[in-house]
Amino acid sequence: MERIGRFAREHALLVASAALAAVSMLIVPPSAETLDHIDVRVLCILFCFMAAVAGMRRYGVFDRLARRMLHGERSIGMLCLTLVMLPFVCSMAITNDVALITFVPFAIMVLMMAGRRDLIVPVVVLQTLAANTGCMATPFGSPHNILIFSAYDMGLAGFAATLLPLVLAGFLVVSVLALTAGRDRVQVELDDEPGLRKGPGLAVMVGLFVLCTLTVLDLFPFWATLAVTVAAVLLVDRGAFGDVDYDLLLTFVLLFVFTGNIADMDAVGDALAGLMEWDPMLTTIGMSQIISNVPAAVMLSGFTADWEGILVGANIGGFGTPIASMASVIALRLYSASDGIETRRFLVLFTAANVLMLIVMVPIGLLQRSM
């Protein structure tokens, strides 16, 4: 029982998705149509992105970048800003989840070396906000953006124009908050800077990432990208397959099954369709607070043609409760693995910061919708 409980805590979203899918299949028995609910293209693109990014991490790209940026003397405010901007910028390319997995442990290490353990909680909270903001800038910055961009014909220009005001607003908020850490000077000495692994593998992984980007933009067929990715990773670094987030992929499969079955239930489908017709942005934000923005995007995308509403709603919806975004759950889990944790303080600051982001971003979203 203890092992089951630990598994449920560590894989909460997967377990919840499995429960929802199972309940839905009791109401709508599985059939050949169940498989039609699964979006194979989105799953393949996510898998390829994860494999390429895992490969780049294994070659030391992001660790070396962070060390180059942080080594030396600076004000504590600039140190915090740099730590916060790392996931902000990198989430645009490697997704918000991976950015936090990469840079939260690094930030904890740097702040402990600088003798500022008191700043670990606010910096990790701001890194979470930064990752959830930066990921809005690109269609491949988060799993829900990949899903929504693939499901609707919005175009890259439409995507960017819709979310750019939110990205700029979030950037200003997290930057100002990070700089309030103070002007005291600190020296960060990061010894033994790792070099990039030698060999052609890094170039291959970067090439795969570019190929995945082209696939999201519908400039390359997903089945060809999948074949090239599998062959290339097997050839240069098959260990990258072990770092793929299979939990997330399986969660998507289960959510596709659940939402497909929900759509087949007339009463529930009609209720969700009515809510989305009323206001897709606010409905998606509200649903994200309960089941997180990735499941909300999967579930609600089938009930509206208003891509702008669900896109803005899913991205703003990542702020709010601790489960509103999978990235927030990851940040809390990473922080909890460090020494001397202050979970209550973390949750208080996290809630206050997320409420602030909602106060800033919801009016911007409503203003965009009214124009």
Side-chain angles (χ1 to χ4, degrees):
M1 288 298 295
E2 183 179 344
R3 288 183 178 180
I4 296 175
R6 188 185 308 117
F7 179 88
R9 289 191 298 272
E10 293 177 353
H11 307 271
L13 189 54
L14 174 62
V15 172
S17 302
L20 290 172
V23 170
S24 71
M25 285 189 287
L26 290 176
I27 302 172
V28 180
S31 65
E33 293 181 358
T34 303
L35 296 177
D36 294 336
H37 299 323
I38 301 172
D39 192 327
V40 176
R41 181 178 183 274
V42 168
L43 293 173
C44 288
I45 292 174
L46 273 174
F47 171 80
C48 294
F49 258 121
M50 290 176 185
V53 170
M56 288 192 287
R57 286 182 64 201
R58 287 167 61 83
Y59 275 87
V61 173
F62 307 118
D63 191 52
R64 186 166 183 174
L65 169 67
R67 287 173 178 270
R68 284 285 178 91
M69 292 180 65
L70 290 165
H71 186 81
E73 183 182 350
R74 70 203 68 222
S75 71
I76 192 66
M78 285 304 300
L79 174 64
C80 292
L81 180 62
T82 304
L83 290 170
V84 169
M85 285 300 108
L86 280 167
F88 175 84
V89 174
C90 290
S91 65
M92 300 178 188
I94 63 175
T95 76
N96 52 348
D97 299 342
V98 176
L100 290 173
I101 291 170
T102 302
F103 294 116
V104 166
F106 189 83
I108 293 172
M109 178 192 73
V110 168
L111 290 170
M112 290 182 69
M113 291 178 64
R116 295 304 303 264
R117 182 187 290 268
D118 59 305
L119 292 175
I120 290 177
V121 169
V123 166
V124 173
V125 169
L126 288 179
Q127 283 186 313
T128 308
L129 300 185
N132 283 337
T133 301
C135 74
M136 298 182 192
T138 64
F140 38 84
S142 64
H144 58 270
N145 279 351
I146 293 175
L147 170 75
I148 296 170
F149 190 83
S150 300
Y152 297 91
D153 184 20
M154 66 185 73
L156 187 58
F159 178 95
T162 300
L163 293 182
L164 182 59
L166 298 176
V167 175
L168 294 176
F171 171 81
L172 289 174
V173 170
V174 296
S175 297
V176 170
L177 292 176
L179 288 171
T180 59
R183 298 182 179 179
D184 297 341
R185 308 293 292 181
V186 291
Q187 180 74 28
V188 179
E189 297 289 346
L190 297 171
D191 298 327
D192 302 323
E193 179 178 334
L196 296 177
R197 283 172 55 191
K198 296 180 179 179
L202 177 57
V204 171
M205 294 301 176
V206 172
L208 290 177
F209 181 84
V210 173
L211 183 62
C212 292
T213 302
L214 295 175
T215 307
V216 171
L217 299 177
D218 218 10
L219 299 176
F220 204 78
F222 78 89
W223 53 266
T225 300
L226 177 64
V228 171
T229 299
V230 171
V233 174
L234 283 174
L235 183 63
V236 300
D237 189 1
R238 64 185 61 189
F241 285 136
D243 293 334
V244 171
D245 190 348
Y246 296 103
D247 267 18
L248 179 59
L249 293 173
L250 182 55
T251 296
F252 262 83
V253 172
L254 294 168
L255 288 172
F256 283 136
V257 171
F258 168 70
T259 55
N261 288 339
I262 285 291
D264 291 338
M265 302 176 197
D266 293 338
V268 178
D270 290 345
L272 291 176
L275 286 171
M276 293 300 283
E277 185 178 355
W278 165 68
D279 195 308
M281 187 192 85
L282 293 179
T283 299
T284 307
I285 292 173
M287 194 68 71
S288 297
Q289 306 308 304
I290 304 170
I291 62 174
S292 96
N293 57 355
V294 171
V298 175
M299 181 169 68
L300 298 175
S301 60
F303 293 97
T304 183
D306 185 352
W307 62 265
E308 185 177 9
I310 195 169
L311 180 65
V312 172
N315 280 281
I316 296 178
F319 303 103
T321 66
I323 63 169
S325 166
M326 192 179 300
S328 300
V329 177
I330 289 172
L332 178 57
R333 189 169 65 198
L334 292 170
Y335 169 71
S336 299
S338 62
D339 297 328
I341 64 170
E342 302 173 88
T343 303
R344 184 174 180 179
R345 183 178 176 227
F346 182 96
L347 291 175
V348 168
L349 286 178
F350 176 89
T351 301
N354 274 269
V355 168
L356 174 61
M357 293 297 276
L358 287 175
I359 290 173
V360 170
M361 290 195 171
V362 170
I364 295 174
L366 290 173
L367 180 62
Q368 283 183 284
R369 301 285 290 162
S370 66
M371 294 174 63

